[in-house]
PDB file of all heavy atoms in Angstrom:
ATOM      1  N   GLY A1405      -5.976  11.956  37.043  1.00  0.00           N
ATOM      2  CA  GLY A1405      -6.351  13.266  37.591  1.00  0.00           C
ATOM      3  C   GLY A1405      -7.624  13.755  36.915  1.00  0.00           C
ATOM      4  O   GLY A1405      -8.490  12.967  36.554  1.00  0.00           O
ATOM      5  N   ARG A1406      -7.714  15.088  36.728  1.00  0.00           N
ATOM      6  CA  ARG A1406      -8.943  15.665  36.142  1.00  0.00           C
ATOM      7  C   ARG A1406      -9.265  15.047  34.790  1.00  0.00           C
ATOM      8  O   ARG A1406     -10.388  14.575  34.553  1.00  0.00           O
ATOM      9  CB  ARG A1406      -8.770  17.180  35.956  1.00  0.00           C
ATOM     10  CG  ARG A1406      -8.944  17.957  37.224  1.00  0.00           C
ATOM     11  CD  ARG A1406      -8.504  19.365  37.019  1.00  0.00           C
ATOM     12  NE  ARG A1406      -7.063  19.397  36.789  1.00  0.00           N
ATOM     13  CZ  ARG A1406      -6.236  20.284  37.319  1.00  0.00           C
ATOM     14  NH1 ARG A1406      -6.714  21.231  38.077  1.00  0.00           N
ATOM     15  NH2 ARG A1406      -4.939  20.241  37.075  1.00  0.00           N
ATOM     16  N   LEU A1407      -8.276  15.044  33.882  1.00  0.00           N
ATOM     17  CA  LEU A1407      -8.541  14.583  32.518  1.00  0.00           C
ATOM     18  C   LEU A1407      -8.726  13.063  32.472  1.00  0.00           C
ATOM     19  O   LEU A1407      -9.675  12.562  31.854  1.00  0.00           O
ATOM     20  CB  LEU A1407      -7.389  15.014  31.602  1.00  0.00           C
ATOM     21  CG  LEU A1407      -7.560  14.721  30.118  1.00  0.00           C
ATOM     22  CD1 LEU A1407      -8.846  15.342  29.576  1.00  0.00           C
ATOM     23  CD2 LEU A1407      -6.367  15.236  29.330  1.00  0.00           C
ATOM     24  N   ASP A1428      -2.270   5.538  38.781  1.00  0.00           N
ATOM     25  CA  ASP A1428      -1.819   6.828  39.312  1.00  0.00           C
ATOM     26  C   ASP A1428      -0.768   6.562  40.393  1.00  0.00           C
ATOM     27  O   ASP A1428      -0.553   5.412  40.804  1.00  0.00           O
ATOM     28  CB  ASP A1428      -3.005   7.611  39.885  1.00  0.00           C
ATOM     29  CG  ASP A1428      -2.798   9.122  39.788  1.00  0.00           C
ATOM     30  OD1 ASP A1428      -1.943   9.654  40.541  1.00  0.00           O
ATOM     31  OD2 ASP A1428      -3.473   9.777  38.970  1.00  0.00           O
ATOM     32  N   VAL A1465      -0.730  12.109  32.228  1.00  0.00           N
ATOM     33  CA  VAL A1465       0.117  12.494  33.369  1.00  0.00           C
ATOM     34  C   VAL A1465       0.632  13.919  33.131  1.00  0.00           C
ATOM     35  O   VAL A1465       0.564  14.430  32.009  1.00  0.00           O
ATOM     36  CB  VAL A1465       1.326  11.529  33.531  1.00  0.00           C
ATOM     37  CG1 VAL A1465       0.856  10.134  33.903  1.00  0.00           C
ATOM     38  CG2 VAL A1465       2.189  11.507  32.268  1.00  0.00           C
ATOM     39  N   GLN A1469       6.241  14.086  33.330  1.00  0.00           N
ATOM     40  CA  GLN A1469       6.216  12.627  33.512  1.00  0.00           C
ATOM     41  C   GLN A1469       5.934  11.880  32.213  1.00  0.00           C
ATOM     42  O   GLN A1469       6.040  10.653  32.162  1.00  0.00           O
ATOM     43  CB  GLN A1469       5.115  12.254  34.525  1.00  0.00           C
ATOM     44  CG  GLN A1469       5.350  12.802  35.915  1.00  0.00           C
ATOM     45  CD  GLN A1469       6.619  12.219  36.507  1.00  0.00           C
ATOM     46  OE1 GLN A1469       6.877  11.035  36.361  1.00  0.00           O
ATOM     47  NE2 GLN A1469       7.416  13.064  37.130  1.00  0.00           N
ATOM     48  N   PHE A1488      -1.989  12.896  25.678  1.00  0.00           N
ATOM     49  CA  PHE A1488      -2.658  14.173  25.941  1.00  0.00           C
ATOM     50  C   PHE A1488      -1.699  15.206  26.513  1.00  0.00           C
ATOM     51  O   PHE A1488      -2.058  16.380  26.622  1.00  0.00           O
ATOM     52  CB  PHE A1488      -3.825  13.969  26.924  1.00  0.00           C
ATOM     53  CG  PHE A1488      -4.993  13.221  26.346  1.00  0.00           C
ATOM     54  CD1 PHE A1488      -4.999  11.830  26.317  1.00  0.00           C
ATOM     55  CD2 PHE A1488      -6.075  13.898  25.818  1.00  0.00           C
ATOM     56  CE1 PHE A1488      -6.074  11.139  25.781  1.00  0.00           C
ATOM     57  CE2 PHE A1488      -7.158  13.216  25.274  1.00  0.00           C
ATOM     58  CZ  PHE A1488      -7.160  11.828  25.256  1.00  0.00           C
ATOM     59  N   PRO A1490       1.253  17.893  26.690  1.00  0.00           N
ATOM     60  CA  PRO A1490       1.727  18.790  25.623  1.00  0.00           C
ATOM     61  C   PRO A1490       3.221  18.656  25.375  1.00  0.00           C
ATOM     62  O   PRO A1490       3.985  19.595  25.547  1.00  0.00           O
ATOM     63  CB  PRO A1490       1.367  20.185  26.165  1.00  0.00           C
ATOM     64  CG  PRO A1490       1.355  20.028  27.644  1.00  0.00           C
ATOM     65  CD  PRO A1490       0.984  18.611  27.953  1.00  0.00           C
ATOM     66  N   VAL A1504      -3.189  14.452  21.242  1.00  0.00           N
ATOM     67  CA  VAL A1504      -4.442  15.206  21.333  1.00  0.00           C
ATOM     68  C   VAL A1504      -4.155  16.431  22.167  1.00  0.00           C
ATOM     69  O   VAL A1504      -3.635  16.306  23.278  1.00  0.00           O
ATOM     70  CB  VAL A1504      -5.552  14.383  22.036  1.00  0.00           C
ATOM     71  CG1 VAL A1504      -6.841  15.173  22.123  1.00  0.00           C
ATOM     72  CG2 VAL A1504      -5.768  13.060  21.336  1.00  0.00           C
ATOM     73  N   PHE A1506      -6.048  20.117  22.988  1.00  0.00           N
ATOM     74  CA  PHE A1506      -7.089  21.113  22.704  1.00  0.00           C
ATOM     75  C   PHE A1506      -6.557  22.532  22.800  1.00  0.00           C
ATOM     76  O   PHE A1506      -7.071  23.430  22.137  1.00  0.00           O
ATOM     77  CB  PHE A1506      -8.353  20.883  23.552  1.00  0.00           C
ATOM     78  CG  PHE A1506      -8.408  21.622  24.868  1.00  0.00           C
ATOM     79  CD1 PHE A1506      -9.233  22.722  25.020  1.00  0.00           C
ATOM     80  CD2 PHE A1506      -7.665  21.189  25.943  1.00  0.00           C
ATOM     81  CE1 PHE A1506      -9.295  23.397  26.225  1.00  0.00           C
ATOM     82  CE2 PHE A1506      -7.723  21.851  27.155  1.00  0.00           C
ATOM     83  CZ  PHE A1506      -8.528  22.957  27.307  1.00  0.00           C
TER      84      PHE A1506
HETATM   85  P1  LIG B2983      -3.983  16.495  36.988  1.00  0.00           P
HETATM   86  O1  LIG B2983      -2.873  17.091  37.776  1.00  0.00           O
HETATM   87  O2  LIG B2983      -5.391  16.720  37.413  1.00  0.00           O
HETATM   88  O3  LIG B2983      -3.759  14.913  36.818  1.00  0.00           O
HETATM   89  C1  LIG B2983      -2.512  14.304  36.600  1.00  0.00           C
HETATM   90  C2  LIG B2983      -2.520  12.987  37.368  1.00  0.00           C
HETATM   91  O4  LIG B2983      -1.350  12.265  37.008  1.00  0.00           O
HETATM   92  C3  LIG B2983      -2.516  13.165  38.880  1.00  0.00           C
HETATM   93  O5  LIG B2983      -3.550  12.390  39.460  1.00  0.00           O
HETATM   94  C4  LIG B2983      -1.139  12.669  39.300  1.00  0.00           C
HETATM   95  O6  LIG B2983      -1.129  12.056  40.584  1.00  0.00           O
HETATM   96  C5  LIG B2983      -0.839  11.646  38.206  1.00  0.00           C
HETATM   97  N1  LIG B2983       0.557  11.334  37.999  1.00  0.00           N
HETATM   98  C6  LIG B2983       1.655  12.113  38.203  1.00  0.00           C
HETATM   99  N2  LIG B2983       2.770  11.449  37.871  1.00  0.00           N
HETATM  100  C7  LIG B2983       2.390  10.209  37.478  1.00  0.00           C
HETATM  101  C8  LIG B2983       3.073   9.060  37.018  1.00  0.00           C
HETATM  102  N3  LIG B2983       4.406   9.035  36.882  1.00  0.00           N
HETATM  103  N4  LIG B2983       2.360   7.963  36.709  1.00  0.00           N
HETATM  104  C9  LIG B2983       1.009   7.942  36.832  1.00  0.00           C
HETATM  105  N5  LIG B2983       0.286   9.013  37.264  1.00  0.00           N
HETATM  106  C10 LIG B2983       0.971  10.129  37.566  1.00  0.00           C
HETATM  107  O7  LIG B2983      -3.756  17.055  35.507  1.00  0.00           O
HETATM  108  P2  LIG B2983      -4.831  17.130  34.310  1.00  0.00           P
HETATM  109  O8  LIG B2983      -5.459  18.460  34.302  1.00  0.00           O
HETATM  110  O9  LIG B2983      -5.694  15.904  34.324  1.00  0.00           O
HETATM  111  O10 LIG B2983      -3.855  17.077  33.059  1.00  0.00           O
HETATM  112  C11 LIG B2983      -3.121  15.887  32.785  1.00  0.00           C
HETATM  113  C12 LIG B2983      -2.262  16.041  31.539  1.00  0.00           C
HETATM  114  O11 LIG B2983      -3.095  16.286  30.418  1.00  0.00           O
HETATM  115  C13 LIG B2983      -1.277  17.218  31.606  1.00  0.00           C
HETATM  116  O12 LIG B2983      -0.115  16.865  30.926  1.00  0.00           O
HETATM  117  C14 LIG B2983      -2.018  18.323  30.867  1.00  0.00           C
HETATM  118  O13 LIG B2983      -1.141  19.266  30.297  1.00  0.00           O
HETATM  119  C15 LIG B2983      -2.724  17.521  29.812  1.00  0.00           C
HETATM  120  N6  LIG B2983      -3.975  18.089  29.263  1.00  0.00           N
HETATM  121  C16 LIG B2983      -4.177  17.910  27.949  1.00  0.00           C
HETATM  122  C17 LIG B2983      -5.332  18.344  27.364  1.00  0.00           C
HETATM  123  C18 LIG B2983      -5.515  18.086  25.905  1.00  0.00           C
HETATM  124  O14 LIG B2983      -6.379  18.606  25.239  1.00  0.00           O
HETATM  125  N7  LIG B2983      -4.703  17.252  25.336  1.00  0.00           N
HETATM  126  C19 LIG B2983      -6.318  18.972  28.117  1.00  0.00           C
HETATM  127  C20 LIG B2983      -6.093  19.123  29.476  1.00  0.00           C
HETATM  128  C21 LIG B2983      -4.911  18.670  30.059  1.00  0.00           C
END
Side-chain angles (χ1 to χ4, degrees):
R1406 281 169 293 222
L1407 185 56
D1428 209 289
V1465 294
Q1469 296 297 318
F1488 290 84
V1504 180
F1506 92 106

